[in-house]
Amino acid sequence: MYIDMSGAISAAELSIQDGSWKPEVAVSSAANASVSSVDRTGAATLIDLSSESSDAIYQTDPVVLLPQGDKYIPVSAGVIINGIPASQVKGAVTFKDGFQLSMTSSSSSFSLYTEAGAVAGSSQTSASFSLGADTTNNEESLIAKLFSSPTKSNSNIHSEQLPA
């Protein structure tokens, strides 16, 4: 049994890209640097470096995990299925606080200028979007919540909350 978050994460990415979903917390940084050197003949070389990164945390509304075969699929708590609320479907698990999702992106580039005016450059951009800004809602702890006894309040799952 596992939790399939792929559809929810894809929908969240689209909502973020179209601007309809705003982050709870966002942090970004940018750095630029130049290094130049001159050799003994007077030829100059210049390297321009730049780097940008950003992190954002998004909070969902309440979520219901619905059983579907060997996995659970997250849906909004307001969804109605065959005339009944999703939270009342047999085997459904409700998370009243929803989930926290984190998105990280970064890019860096450099340009090399030589005396002949030749320019060479490289750029790398990456982005990741994942469940996990709130470590109490990672996949392992969610599975543990699904299969834990309602009267048992302790677990052997290690979690660590980092300051935002």
Side-chain angles (χ1 to χ4, degrees), residues 1-158:
M1 189 71 66
Y2 68 96
I3 300 169
D4 184 356
M5 295 297 293
S6 60
I9 290 174
S10 295
E13 285 180 299
L14 289 173
S15 296
I16 289 167
Q17 289 174 3
D18 74 11
S20 63
W21 199 12
K22 304 296 182 202
E24 298 286 318
V25 177
V27 177
S28 63
S29 65
N32 295 305
S34 279
V35 178
S36 61
S37 69
V38 178
D39 68 14
R40 64 181 177 202
T41 65
T45 303
L46 176 68
I47 298 175
D48 281 334
L49 307 165
S50 68
S51 175
E52 294 181 17
S53 68
S54 66
D55 293 299
I57 296 175
Y58 298 84
Q59 179 69 44
T60 69
D61 291 330
V63 173
V64 176
L65 296 178
L66 294 177
Q68 189 175 63
D70 66 341
K71 60 187 170 185
Y72 280 85
I73 307 294
V75 297
S76 173
V79 169
I80 304 294
I81 300 170
N82 295 329
I84 61 171
S87 61
Q88 294 178 2
V89 170
K90 184 177 180 177
V93 178
T94 301
F95 291 90
K96 292 178 184 173
D97 294 331
F99 297 115
Q100 284 187 347
L101 302 158
S102 64
M103 182 168 187
T104 301
S105 65
S106 64
S107 66
S108 60
S109 65
F110 72 88
S111 299
L112 173 64
Y113 301 92
T114 65
E115 79 168 41
V119 178
S122 176
S123 170
Q124 179 181 9
T125 302
S126 63
S128 65
F129 194 87
S130 62
L131 179 71
D134 178 357
T135 57
T136 61
N137 279 337
N138 63 29
E139 186 171 3
E140 292 82 12
S141 65
L142 292 174
I143 291 170
K145 287 177 187 177
L146 290 172
F147 296 105
S148 65
S149 164
T151 59
K152 185 177 178 181
S153 63
N154 61 358
S155 68
N156 293 328
I157 298 172
H158 174 71

